[in-house]
Amino acid sequence: MVTSDEDAKKAYADFEKKVKRTIYIDHLSPQVTSSVIKAALAQCANVVDVEFIVNYTVPYDIPSAALVELDDEIQAKAALDLMNDFPFIIGGMPRPVRAICAKPEMFRERPPHPGIRKEFRWVKQEDGTEYQGMKKLRILAKRQEVENMALIKNQLEEEKELAKQQQELLDGNYNKYDMLENVVQNGNMKSLAQHYGVSLADEF
C-alpha cells in the first residue's frame, strides 16, 4: 500500500521533472501573450503551458515575466539557445528579453518538499529582537515598493517610446513597398528599365 510519504515524494519528483522542462523569460513587453510566445518558439519546441508571473507590488497588469513549460528538457535547452542567440521577435520587431532555466521557487503552486516541515507564527511586540527585526523589514519593503513603482513607470515610458519607434519603422517599410508596387503597376518600371538598359525578363 502506498503511503502518504511516498505520494509526497512522487509528487515532488514529478514537479522536479516539470521544472527541468520549463524556462523562465523576463523583460517581456506588456503586449506579449501566450500565442506570441508559442509562435516565437514553434521552430524549436512545443509549448505546453505559459504562466505569466504577476507583479503584485504594482497597480498595473504587466506580464513582465513568464514560466514556459515545454515537452521535455531537450526542447527547453533548444529554446534557451534560440532566445539567447537570436532576438525575440514580436510583431516583426526584435525585443530585448532574457531566458534562463526555471527554478522551483519561481512556481506559485508547488508541492511541499518531502522531509521539510514549515511552521509559522505571529511576531508580537513582546518578542523583542524578532519584533524589531520584522519592523525594519516592513519599512524596507515599503521603501522598495516606492522604488519599484518608479522603475515600472519608467519601463512603461520606455515601452511606449519603443512601440512608437517600431511603428514608425513598420510604416516606413510599408511605404517603400507600396511605392515599388505603384512603380510596377503604373508602367514606370518599364520606362526605368529601358532608360538604364535593364532587361526585366532577366530580373523577374
Side-chain angles (χ1 to χ4, degrees):
M1 183 176 178
V2 180
T3 64
S4 58
D5 185 54
E6 291 175 339
D7 288 338
K9 290 181 179 179
K10 183 180 182 305
Y12 197 81
D14 291 340
F15 170 69
E16 288 181 319
K17 291 178 181 178
K18 178 180 179 179
V19 172
K20 291 180 180 179
R21 61 175 182 265
T22 301
I23 62 174
Y24 170 84
I25 308 174
D26 66 359
H27 298 171
L28 290 172
S29 164
Q31 287 77 33
V32 171
T33 62
S34 299
S35 298
V36 171
I37 294 178
K38 289 180 180 180
L41 299 178
Q43 57 183 300
C44 69
N46 177 55
V47 177
V48 176
D49 183 53
V50 177
E51 179 185 350
F52 288 105
I53 300 177
V54 181
N55 188 346
Y56 291 102
T57 64
V58 296
Y60 303 109
D61 184 17
I62 303 177
S64 59
L67 289 168
V68 183
E69 181 184 355
L70 307 171
D71 274 343
D72 52 46
E73 192 174 348
I74 296 176
Q75 288 190 7
K77 184 180 184 306
L80 287 175
D81 292 340
L82 177 69
M83 299 192 70
N84 289 324
D85 293 340
F86 300 97
F88 188 67
I89 304 299
I90 300 177
M93 292 295 178
R95 295 288 312 179
V97 302
R98 182 185 63 155
I100 60 174
C101 296
K103 299 179 181 179
E105 55 269 22
M106 294 177 176
F107 291 78
R108 180 172 52 183
E109 295 183 3
R110 58 182 183 271
H113 196 293
I116 297 180
R117 181 180 178 183
K118 297 180 180 179
E119 295 182 356
F120 303 90
R121 68 180 180 87
W122 291 102
V123 178
K124 301 178 181 179
Q125 188 170 0
E126 52 266 27
D127 290 328
T129 304
E130 290 185 359
Y131 177 80
Q132 293 300 323
M134 293 304 301
K135 188 176 180 179
K136 290 180 180 179
L137 286 176
R138 186 178 180 182
I139 295 174
L140 180 60
K142 288 185 177 180
R143 184 188 308 166
Q144 289 179 338
E145 181 180 354
V146 173
E147 295 174 351
N148 194 26
M149 282 294 299
L151 290 173
I152 291 295
K153 290 181 179 179
N154 183 61
Q155 179 187 352
L156 290 174
E157 289 298 324
E158 291 179 349
E159 288 285 347
K160 185 178 179 180
E161 182 62 28
L162 180 58
K164 179 182 177 182
Q165 294 175 4
Q166 291 180 341
Q167 189 60 50
E168 290 175 351
L169 182 57
L170 285 174
D171 291 342
N173 289 335
Y174 172 79
N175 291 334
K176 289 178 184 178
Y177 286 113
D178 186 54
M179 181 182 65
L180 290 173
E181 181 66 21
N182 289 333
V183 169
V184 173
Q185 294 295 332
N186 61 24
N188 289 336
M189 177 69 76
K190 293 181 179 179
S191 299
L192 290 171
Q194 292 175 357
H195 178 77
Y196 291 103
V198 177
S199 176
L200 293 179
D202 295 337
E203 298 296 326
F204 297 94

